[in-house]
Each structure stands twice: as structure tokens, then as C-alpha cells.
Amino acid sequence: MTVSTNINKATFNGSGSTGPFTFNFRFYMNTEISVIRVDANGTDTLLVEGTDYTLSGAGSYGGGVVNLTIALAYGNQLVIMRLVDLLQSTEIRNLGTFFPEIHEDAFDRMVMMIQQIAEMTERAIKLPSSQTGNFELPAQKLNDTLVGFDINGNLTLKTASYTVSITAGAGSAPTVTYADASAGTVIANLPGSGEIIIIKTDATANPVTVTGTGGKTVLRQTSVDLTTQDEAIHLIMNGTNWYRI
């Protein structure tokens, strides 16, 4: 027999049932199967065989069957994956007896390994085929950092903050900016003139720092911080200082 499908994962939507959840890819041992429940918030929970589910079908070319001990709720998902050890354990001796099934299983296991790596690669961040780049991150791991790109397009670690340059809108209506600082400090650079409203939308302790540019001040200071969720500031420029309205 051959590995007749390139699938090594099956996904089922919750319907209030305990199963059966039937999948059609071969596996040799129960330990090669991972069963994962995904709740409505997208959180994965690895289930335990014998406690959370039963599994049958090891060695069968037709696949296997999972039955849960607790029904899979609506809005949840069940993911069944084959994860084989990346080993070659078949010993083939010189002048030994040729058993086709032994050789077939060895080749099948190699194909399963390739499929497993291919499935992981499909879930990875990848460049388009037409592009090249260095995706190796620095060895140092820092708290409060973000993954970003440098001026050469290579991956790097950046401090968890970003800058927003606000542009004054046309006409008399104020420009409204919603600033989300959940990933880190937001620096909101004000334009040279106009009427501006800035609102901090997140509930984290990270500030939204409203900063004057071109030597101009904000409430006669270099900058002011918005520190609580839904805190807002309404400003208008009058020469060299941004005044609160």
C-alpha cells in the first residue's frame, strides 16, 4: 500500500456531539496522534487519550476514529493531527530476506515526515517566491519588544512602541485619531496647525504620548500623556502652543 493522501490533519466543527470523528490518514501508534480542542476564543487545549477521548485505527490504511468523553460544544473545533517522530527505525540488512511490507512502511513513514513538515511550513510566515530576505532574529530576547523590519527589509526586534504622524484635515472639522497602545507606547506627533482630537482606545497602562513638532508645545509642555481607556484630548493650535478645547 502507499500513502494515498497528502492530508495529515482533520478539523471538525462542534455540534454538541461526542463523535465519532473519523479521519482518513494512516498512523502507526496512538502516540502519533494529537487531539486538540479549540474554544470560541481560539485557545488550544491538548486533550489526553483515555481521559478526554478514545482512539482506534492504529495501523489501518483507512485512518482512525476519535470519540470524546465530553461533547464538542457549538462554536468549538476539534483538530486531529498526525505527528510522527522524525526517526528512521527500520533496519535493512545486507542479503537479508526481502519483506515488501517492511520496506513499504519505512517509505510511508518518510512520506509522513515530509507531509508533517510541509503542514507546519504552510502555517509559517513566508516571503513571496520572487523575494529574498534575512528572517533570522537576533539571539537576545527582550521583554516589551516587537518584531519588525529594518531599512533593509530584514527582521529585527524593536521596542514595543510606534509613532503616528497626524495630518490636519481639510476644512474646519477637527481631525480625529484613535490610538491603540495595547502593543506598546504610541507617540502621536501633532501637525503644525489645525484642530485635533486624540482618543486612547485600549485599557492597558501604556500611554499615548501627544507630542508637539517643529518646536511647538502642547499645553505649554513638550508632550502630554493619555493614560486611561477612552481618555481624549481636543486641541487647537494658536501660534506656537496647542491649547485644550
Side-chain angles (χ1 to χ4, degrees), residues 150-183:
D150 62 22
I151 59 174
N152 297 315
N154 296 322
L155 276 178
T156 186
L157 294 177
K158 297 179 176 292
T159 57
S161 64
Y162 65 95
T163 300
V164 176
S165 294
I166 299 172
T167 303
S172 59
T175 298
V176 180
T177 297
Y178 299 95
D180 183 349
S182 56

Side-chain angles (χ1 to χ4, degrees), residues 23 27-35 49-50 53-59 65 81-83:
F23 55 96
F27 63 104
Y28 294 100
M29 299 177 294
N30 284 13
T31 54
E32 296 174 344
I33 295 296
S34 290
V35 180
E49 185 189 3
Y53 67 92
T54 60
L55 171 63
S56 61
V65 179
M81 298 181 63
R82 182 183 62 216
L83 297 172

Side-chain angles (χ1 to χ4, degrees), residues 8-146:
N8 72 332
K9 180 171 70 173
T11 302
F12 304 88
N13 293 322
S15 61
S17 170
T18 58
F21 300 96
T22 303
F23 55 96
N24 64 354
F25 48 85
R26 189 185 186 196
F27 63 104
Y28 294 100
M29 299 177 294
N30 284 13
T31 54
E32 296 174 344
I33 295 296
S34 290
V35 180
I36 302 166
R37 183 179 65 243
V38 186
D39 67 20
N41 296 317
T43 301
D44 292 358
T45 300
L46 180 64
L47 303 185
V48 178
E49 185 189 3
T51 301
D52 301 314
Y53 67 92
T54 60
L55 171 63
S56 61
S60 170
Y61 284 95
V65 179
V66 167
N67 283 283
L68 299 176
T69 56
I70 298 176
L72 186 64
Y74 286 90
N76 290 4
Q77 285 188 322
L78 191 73
V79 178
I80 303 172
M81 298 181 63
R82 182 183 62 216
L83 297 172
V84 300
D85 290 333
L86 303 183
L87 302 171
Q88 202 299 94
S89 57
T90 302
E91 183 179 358
I92 302 174
R93 302 187 180 191
N94 288 334
L95 303 179
T97 304
F98 183 84
F99 295 102
E101 186 175 359
I102 292 176
H103 291 74
E104 189 82 40
D105 284 349
F107 294 140
D108 287 353
R109 181 173 287 275
M110 292 180 186
V111 173
M112 291 177 184
M113 294 178 189
I114 294 170
Q115 292 176 342
Q116 181 173 315
I117 295 171
E119 190 276 333
M120 293 178 180
T121 302
E122 289 175 356
R123 292 186 280 113
I125 298 174
K126 294 179 287 187
L127 288 173
S129 300
S130 60
Q131 296 184 11
T132 59
N134 176 17
F135 266 30
E136 183 177 352
L137 285 170
Q140 187 177 22
K141 182 179 179 181
L142 301 175
N143 292 329
D144 200 28
T145 57
L146 298 173

